[in-house]
């Protein structure tokens, strides 16, 4: 059966008139008769008894009538649903983001996306960098925001910006009055950082080891917010992605440029190399690419 045949049958069955059905469908009588015959040939028997004066449904036609109504309603609903998805009036998209991005820049970007596409539902998975990569690879989300992974044959990366690590010190620390810090100066204090297997932790340890610097950790936590609170309360110092600058300042800590060595890593939007993104995911990716502002520190020596 074809949709065209079912629509023709339904028009005749509801009007019991080929003339009225032709007007409804904008078809000629020969074309309508041929369509009905094609449906009957496909099914193997007559659906309509037609005389010069009347049209009646056969028992088989009576059986088909409610089924045809339901099939065409489902078809029309599906067509409308997909049309709304393609025009971004309806749909959903799932995105995974590392906490430093999810808790800082992502909310404002989602607000911009929602303003443009209020009918699209967005699910956000706030997970560590490694889980972002895994969720995109496994197809559990269409998009991920994370530090760019090593060269991958399974992921496509749209670069956003290069994130540079900054020092985090208590606001009342003598270090807070400096314009910048190097790692040797920072590590004279107790160091607070994320627990393994955090990519931030591994990145710091690997890069410092390349420069012959050992990272002795006094306190560690699963959450950057907890790290920032510990620093603000005077338990020690830390180094975080510049994405977290505003968050650290809100917690009461002070951020400073950090060098010798400079540690930085590109941040990007991850998507699978295989398969095509949904229209909603493409729209969200465009908002992310166009709306992200590379984080920066305030003018050296000024407090925020």
């Amino acid at each position: 059966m074809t949709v065209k045949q079912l629509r023709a049958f339904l028009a005749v069955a509801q009007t019991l008139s080929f003339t009225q059905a032709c007007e409804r469908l904008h078809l000629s009588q020969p074309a309508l008769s041929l369509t009905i015959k094609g449906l009957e040939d496909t099914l193997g028997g007559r659906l309509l008894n037609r005389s010069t004066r009347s049209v009646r449904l056969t028992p088989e036609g009576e059986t088909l009538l409610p089924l045809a109504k339901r099939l065409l309603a489902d078809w029309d609903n599906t067509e409308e649903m997909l049309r709304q998805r393609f025009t971004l009036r309806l749909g959903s998209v799932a995105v995974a983001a590392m906490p430093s991005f999810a808790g800082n820049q992502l909310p404002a970007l989602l607000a911009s996306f929602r303003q443009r596409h209020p009918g699209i539902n967005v699910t956000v998975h706030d997970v560590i960098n490694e889980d972002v990569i895994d969720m995109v690879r496994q197809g559990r989300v269409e998009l991920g925001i994370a530090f760019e992974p090593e060269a991958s044959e399974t992921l496509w990366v749209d670069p956003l910006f290069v994130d540079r690590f900054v020092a985090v010190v208590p606001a009342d620390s003598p270090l807070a009055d400096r314009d910048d810090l190097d790692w040797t100066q920072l590590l004279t204090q107790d160091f607070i950082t994320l627990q393994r297997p955090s990519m931030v932790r591994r990145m710091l340890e690997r890069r410092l080891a390349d420069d012959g610097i050992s990272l002795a950790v006094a306190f560690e936590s699963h959450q950057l917010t907890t790290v920032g609170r510990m620093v603000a309360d005077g338990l020690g110092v830390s180094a975080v992605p510049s994405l977290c600058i505003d968050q650290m300042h809100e917690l009461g800590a002070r951020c400073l440029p950090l060098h010798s060595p400079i540690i930085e890593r590109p941040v990007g939007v991850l998507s699978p190399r295989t398969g095509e993104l949904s229209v909603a995911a493409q729209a969200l990716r465009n908002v992310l690419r166009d709306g992200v502002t590379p984080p920066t520190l305030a003018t050296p020596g000024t407090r925020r």
Side-chain angles (χ1 to χ4, degrees):
M1 295 184 294
T2 68
V3 172
K4 180 181 177 182
Q5 289 172 340
L6 285 177
R7 290 199 193 282
F9 167 76
L10 189 59
V12 176
Q14 289 177 330
T15 62
L16 295 179
S17 166
F18 269 72
T19 301
Q20 292 181 40
C22 287
E23 291 175 356
R24 178 186 293 187
L25 299 171
H26 305 290
L27 288 175
S28 66
Q29 286 219 18
L32 178 58
S33 297
L34 192 61
T35 302
I36 295 296
K37 184 177 185 306
L39 177 60
E40 291 176 330
D41 289 346
T42 297
L43 296 177
R46 296 183 65 80
L47 300 170
L48 300 166
N49 284 323
R50 180 183 181 187
S51 68
T52 55
R53 295 186 176 182
S54 65
V55 177
R56 291 183 296 105
L57 292 172
T58 66
E60 290 74 22
E62 294 281 2
T63 299
L64 177 60
L65 180 56
L67 300 175
K69 288 180 180 178
R70 188 169 72 242
L71 287 169
L72 289 172
D74 288 345
W75 178 274
D76 291 339
N77 290 338
T78 301
E79 188 175 28
E80 178 60 21
M81 180 186 67
L82 288 172
R83 184 178 293 109
Q84 290 194 31
R85 286 179 178 269
F86 281 124
T87 56
L88 293 171
R89 289 180 290 162
L90 183 71
S92 62
V93 59
V95 57
M98 58 183 178
S100 57
F101 192 91
N104 293 282
Q105 291 215 15
L106 186 58
L109 293 166
L110 291 180
S112 174
F113 179 77
R114 185 71 171 180
Q115 195 170 29
R116 299 184 200 181
H117 310 296
I120 306 298
N121 177 63
V122 182
T123 300
V124 177
H125 298 269
D126 180 356
V127 294
I128 63 172
N129 194 87
E130 293 76 3
D131 288 346
V132 173
I133 296 170
D134 288 342
M135 290 181 77
V136 177
R137 281 180 174 153
Q138 295 166 10
R140 294 166 58 193
V141 296
E142 289 191 88
L143 299 175
I145 304 149
F147 290 115
E148 289 190 16
E150 303 298 332
S152 171
E153 296 181 356
T154 60
L155 296 176
W156 180 264
V157 180
D158 288 295
L160 294 177
F161 57 88
V162 175
D163 193 299
R164 179 174 294 184
F165 279 75
V166 296
V168 188
V169 301
D172 58 359
S173 166
L175 296 177
D177 293 325
R178 303 180 64 93
D179 289 340
D180 57 38
L181 289 171
D182 64 36
W183 274 95
T184 302
Q185 295 165 331
L186 183 67
L187 293 179
T188 60
Q189 309 294 312
D190 286 339
F191 194 76
I192 307 168
T193 190
L194 294 175
Q195 293 180 347
R196 297 188 184 94
S198 162
M199 186 176 186
V200 168
R201 171 77 172 269
R202 290 190 289 109
M203 193 186 310
L204 293 178
E205 290 177 331
R206 184 169 59 246
R207 182 66 182 84
L208 291 174
D210 290 342
D211 279 43
I213 300 173
S214 175
L215 186 64
V217 175
F219 299 97
E220 53 189 354
S221 170
H222 279 300
Q223 300 294 332
L224 282 167
T225 301
T226 306
V227 171
R229 179 62 66 190
M230 287 180 173
V231 173
D233 287 347
L235 288 177
V237 299
S238 187
V240 300
S242 55
L243 274 168
C244 303
I245 290 171
D246 288 342
Q247 184 180 26
M248 295 296 112
H249 288 157
E250 289 170 3
L251 291 169
R254 169 99 163 96
C255 293
L256 298 168
L258 184 59
H259 59 87
S260 302
I262 289 174
I263 301 179
E264 56 188 16
R265 186 72 177 267
V267 174
V269 180
L270 314 182
S271 55
R273 280 190 177 273
T274 57
E276 188 172 348
L277 293 176
S278 68
V279 175
Q282 293 176 43
L284 179 56
R285 182 177 61 181
N286 291 339
V287 168
L288 294 171
R289 288 189 303 196
D290 298 339
V292 165
T293 303
T296 58
L297 275 167
T299 303
T302 62
R303 295 185 181 277
R304 296 184 53 180

